[in-house]
Amino acid sequence: MARPRLNSGDTHSEDLPKPKLNKDNLKKALKIFSYIKPFKWKFVVGMIFLALSSLTILTLPALLGAMIDAAQGRQTHPWLPADVVFIGSSTLIVLAFQSIISFFRIRLFVEIAERALANLRKDSYHKLITLPIDFFANRRVGELNSRLSSDLSQIQDTMTTTLAEMLRQTIILLFGAGLLIWVSPKLALMNLCILPIIIIVALIFGKFIRNLSRQAQDKLADSNSIVQETLLGISNVKSFVNEFYESKRYGMKLNQAVDLAVRGATYRGIFASFIIFAIFGAVVIVIWYGASLVSRGEISVGDLTTYLLYSIFVAGSMGSFPELYASVQRSLGASERVLEILGEQQEDIRVDETDKEITQALKGSIQFKTVHFSYPTRPDLEILKDVSFEVQAGKKLAIVGPSGTGKSTIASLILRFYDPSSGQILYDGIPSSALPLTDIRNQVAIVPQDVLLFGGTIRENISYGNLNADADSIIEAARRANAHQFIMNFPEGYETVVGERGVKLSGGQRQRIAIARALLNDPAILILDEATSSLDSESERMVQAALEELMRNRTSIIIAHRLSTIRDADMIIVVENGTISDQGTHEELMAQKSGLYHHLYTLQSLQNTES
């Protein structure tokens, strides 16, 4: 039986349907290209250089044809002397001019695109980090990362090369086709008879080959997902001795991708063979028919050469359009996905140099008044039902109860990651909606059960609580968190790199780093979300001592799994099925022999005695 797939967190633009070019999609895309507006004059100059570059290149076939005729003593154009040296030097001047303006064209378009995309990346990232928690609950990290990397890179490619190349090839195609008719209407008419056949076959084969290529990409993406999920869960793979199973699973997906790729290569080979035959066959026919026209004196050898060169230009332009069109389609899809992020409703939070400035200082009292709450993704499932309690500033409130009853949800509401469905949360008697969100979060700190450290140094992780803290303040916070000693045992001390998510540190060490970070923040309200539940006895003792220092003289909300750690709490509330079934001090709750708290405490005491 196939195993359930883990979320790989990766998305592939090839897997997504490409939008068609229509008015609505182009209108959406224009919002992305509004980022070019600050550079509009450079863009105008770049377009002028683009037009000049495209038109200049079209003079070369005429000059080369005139040079051949001049060598035979014929004058192709009345305005051009029949002098090989003059025409040759003129051609070199045109090439030099073409090279110079091509340099400025490329330089300007790349600069405009890079600067515009940098602004777009900044806005997209700024938007992402200011979106509410609920947004991230519905998205995979890999998907969001893909939007900031692959989607924006696709837009970047379109801005830097695709659009300019489309305009350039369009100019060459239109003017080149006109020049073909001007040089020889008879040869142009013959080419136009062959052209529809090539276009029709190219469209049919192109669509078929793209479908096979997309299927192969899908299979390759599946195989990459297997690699990612296997490496993420490598301990499970090894503990169940399933290396052979995973290798076989990966091999099957790879083989499927290879089979599709080979099948696609077969059709690409057939298509390439047809195109080679058709194009070179057309060249042979044109030369054969052109030679007959030369022999009859209807055109010169120079005109035939000019015609052939223009034919190559026009054919090259036509051949580039399918890929350019596909690139624009991919860019439109990427634009839609980026615009989805830019259109999301962000939190009402201050994100600038003043985001750490507190305008409304809190003493720390918290009150829940008949709070009801359902997560936005599950509005039919009420997590909290008529929850009311109050904790005074500087006091300790412990929240206990079975898993999944809403304890961590209360912590999320205090941090205003979410707002209540109904009811009120008050800080110092002020409704949460009347306080700036930045002020609340600046004065509430949380030490979770699963501490996430950034991949930098210990110093950087501690200073995250206060980015303006000096070295002495960081060391003092570490001392108070019982972390200074183990930090100094590392050869690099505070410059020790903790690794991704802090993997180089033990659980107890990560917890103490998180406590030092919270101490440096000096919050009015502290939330401890089962901060010691996953630690061994020695680590728990060290962390608990650090927590006592952290909780001193500040409001503390303790979500507890081990009830022995909350005996001295000023008040304990028991959460059961989303409601507060009981509240009081440890002694008061233990006096209620039939209460849930008494049952849980007695059960844990028996387990500790047996162990």
Side-chain angles (χ1 to χ4, degrees), residues 70-136:
Q72 296 177 330
R74 297 184 60 175
Q75 187 177 26
T76 306
H77 308 292
W79 45 269
L80 197 62
D83 185 340
V84 174
V85 175
F86 178 82
I87 298 173
S89 59
S90 299
T91 305
L92 289 174
I93 292 170
V94 169
L95 276 173
F97 179 72
Q98 158 75 16
S99 301
I100 292 169
I101 59 177
S102 291
F103 165 77
F104 284 109
R105 170 181 67 84
I106 294 169
R107 171 71 172 71
L108 281 169
F109 276 117
V110 170
E111 180 186 352
I112 292 165
E114 290 292 345
R115 294 190 186 280
L117 258 296
N119 291 337
L120 179 56
R121 286 182 190 276
K122 290 174 188 174
D123 286 354
S124 300
Y125 178 72
H126 179 273
K127 187 69 163 185
L128 269 178
I129 61 176
T130 56
L131 290 175
I133 287 291
D134 182 57
F135 173 86
F136 297 96

Side-chain angles (χ1 to χ4, degrees), residues 26-98:
L26 288 174
K27 194 173 179 180
K28 290 178 182 177
L30 286 176
K31 293 180 181 177
I32 292 290
F33 290 101
S34 65
Y35 281 85
I36 294 176
K37 195 173 181 179
F39 318 102
K40 60 183 177 182
W41 292 115
K42 286 187 177 181
F43 185 77
V44 170
V45 174
M47 291 298 292
I48 293 171
F49 281 132
L50 174 68
L52 284 173
S53 172
S54 304
L55 293 173
T56 304
I57 199 73
L58 288 172
T59 64
L60 293 178
L63 288 171
L64 292 172
M67 192 187 304
I68 292 172
D69 281 348
Q72 296 177 330
R74 297 184 60 175
Q75 187 177 26
T76 306
H77 308 292
W79 45 269
L80 197 62
D83 185 340
V84 174
V85 175
F86 178 82
I87 298 173
S89 59
S90 299
T91 305
L92 289 174
I93 292 170
V94 169
L95 276 173
F97 179 72
Q98 158 75 16

